[in-house]
Amino acid sequence: MNIGQAAEASGVSAKMIRYYEQTGLIPKAARLESGYRDYDEADIHRLRFIRGARDLGFTVEQIGALLALWSDRGRASADVKALALGHVDALKQKQAEIGAMIATLENLAKRCHGDDRPDCPIIDGLAADEAGAPRRRAPRRFGKVDALRA
Amino acid sequence: MNIGQAAEASGVSAKMIRYYEQTGLIPKAARLESGYRDYDEADIHRLRFIRGARDLGFTVEQIGALLALWSDRGRASADVKALALGHVDALKQKQAEIGAMIATLENLAKRCHGDDRPDCPIIDGLAADEAGAPRRRAPRRFGKVDALRA
DNA sequence: CTGGGCCTTGCCACGATGGCAAGGTCAAGG
DNA sequence: CCTTGACCTTGCCATCGTGGCAAGGCCCAG
């Protein structure tokens, strides 16, 4: 099966399949004499797995761990569960952070009369420190942000 | 005022101040004879405004629009409010998407006994199409993702 | 055999941010 | 006055996951 067909069948773009191969997330695909990559059902299955995990907001790195567990017959389901639940925690935290932003914005908006006069608590409130959020920076463990960008 | 002091006073890193200047979000800073950038109170105020907007999840691009409104004495507060409420909608949508991920994951986790046996609905469920989410891609209108990465 | 549609690789871009390096500047202390 | 260290300057590279484009090779149908 061609990379194009594999992409079609798995829902992962050809571009990303090559990328995943390049970064070692998936093994190097078999090649036909022509140099074309060749995929079988097992490959498709793996790609679909990756797609599902991506859609659930797992990082490619985390998916690497999941794939290892997937192919490990002797894995403990507890390990998988721990990984998943840890991710749920991270998602919940993000949700909370977004919730805080929403609350602040709605609060500011509520106090803005929203007519054609220039006074606006939103504008004023932004420069004040009302935004809170102590500004921490962390080593990017979220990923699949795009699923969240709408 | 030095860039370092401006960073300290505004909560925006020196690096980002230079970046904002480079991309035209803020006007080019005045320079001392030494070549050092020089900031006054108005600059700090603007930087603090940017910082606040960033913390509320606005894109740098959106902040550009906000800044324009900010410095426009004749602006209608309705414009600002519309921008803010539109952003709130986007945030709510992201929250909902994350919520869907959480629901799916918790559902899978609930059905995973989580012991040392290898069977795991989480692993199995990922390859199936349970993840839903019709895979749309859009032109990046969120930004300040880092605030959400925790 | 030719055309169009695949495939190959490789490089550039995004957004917002950090990091590093090489060199200039400034202020405090000897 | 000179040294030292902290700061500034610019410029380039990396991140993460994805898309796009280009030049060249392959494959199938007409």
Side-chain angles (χ1 to χ4, degrees), chain B residues 50-121:
Chain B
I50 292 172
R51 214 287 202 143
R54 239 21 227 105
D55 284 346
L56 287 180
F58 285 97
T59 303
V60 170
E61 200 183 3
Q62 291 173 316
I63 297 176
L66 287 172
L67 279 174
L69 291 174
W70 188 33
S71 56
D72 175 7
R73 298 182 168 285
R75 89 221 161 199
S77 63
D79 292 345
V80 182
K81 192 166 185 171
L83 229 164
L85 290 180
H87 184 52
V88 167
D89 283 351
L91 288 173
K92 284 184 174 170
Q93 200 186 327
K94 256 131 246 149
Q95 229 184 8
E97 287 167 9
I98 293 178
M101 293 181 191
I102 292 173
T104 302
L105 272 170
E106 287 191 330
N107 194 328
L108 290 174
K110 195 174 55 189
R111 292 191 271 129
C112 171
H113 32 264
D115 52 21
D116 51 6
R117 282 173 298 170
D119 313 291
C120 182

Side-chain angles (χ1 to χ4, degrees), chain B residues 19-50:
Chain B
Y19 172 73
Y20 293 148
E21 177 179 330
Q22 201 186 350
T23 57
L25 182 67
I26 56 178
K28 289 185 181 172
R31 299 286 186 137
L32 299 175
E33 285 187 29
S34 61
Y36 284 21
R37 287 174 183 80
D38 189 35
Y39 299 90
D40 61 22
E41 278 308 317
D43 294 319
I44 303 305
H45 199 231
R46 182 167 31 215
L47 286 170
R48 238 182 316 222
F49 177 90
I50 292 172

Side-chain angles (χ1 to χ4, degrees), chain A residues 48-114:
Chain A
R48 238 185 312 226
F49 177 90
I50 292 173
R51 215 279 207 159
R54 236 28 222 107
D55 284 347
L56 287 179
F58 286 96
T59 305
V60 170
E61 199 182 4
Q62 292 172 315
I63 296 176
L66 287 172
L67 279 175
L69 291 173
W70 189 30
S71 55
D72 176 6
R73 298 181 168 285
R75 88 223 161 197
S77 63
D79 292 346
V80 181
K81 193 166 185 173
L83 229 164
L85 290 181
H87 184 51
V88 167
D89 282 351
L91 288 174
K92 283 184 174 169
Q93 198 186 328
K94 256 133 244 149
Q95 229 184 7
E97 286 167 8
I98 294 178
M101 294 180 189
I102 292 173
T104 302
L105 272 169
E106 287 191 331
N107 193 325
L108 290 173
K110 195 174 54 189
R111 293 191 271 128
C112 171
H113 33 264

